[in-house]
Amino acid sequence: QWFNLMGYNHGLQNMHRLIEYIRDRHRFEPRWTRALQATSVPIRLIWGALDAVAPLVIAQEVAQLVPKATLTTIAAGHWPFVE
């Protein structure tokens, strides 16, 4: 079903445009890191331990940068709602 949805409105032909988020993740890292460190809102990172797109090491690094964050791993990959 998910793959069929990706084909809607020529989605598969435009998928290469979506990958921009990888560059954005690095470009905006200082911005979101500062925001997470400054917030008074409790932070819980819920991460798929089997995620091949965003490996667990990313969550572990974020948890180190944001000491008040707690990290919970689940036995899932990148799309637990599909898996």
Side-chain angles (χ1 to χ4, degrees), residues 25 28-45 47 58-59 61-70:
R25 185 166 43 187
F28 296 119
E29 181 178 355
R31 178 178 167 190
W32 61 259
T33 301
R34 283 192 306 268
L36 288 173
Q37 290 170 333
T39 188
S40 60
V41 176
I43 298 170
R44 170 160 292 180
L45 303 168
W47 215 270
I58 294 173
E61 289 177 9
V62 172
Q64 286 181 347
L65 290 171
V66 184
K68 62 184 161 226
T70 58

Side-chain angles (χ1 to χ4, degrees), residues 68-79:
K68 62 184 161 226
T70 58
L71 173 59
T72 300
T73 58
I74 59 175
H78 193 69
W79 293 290

Side-chain angles (χ1 to χ4, degrees), residues 20-32:
E20 184 70 25
Y21 78 91
I22 292 176
R23 284 187 285 270
D24 287 348
R25 185 166 43 187
H26 294 288
R27 187 171 79 186
F28 296 119
E29 181 178 355
R31 178 178 167 190
W32 61 259

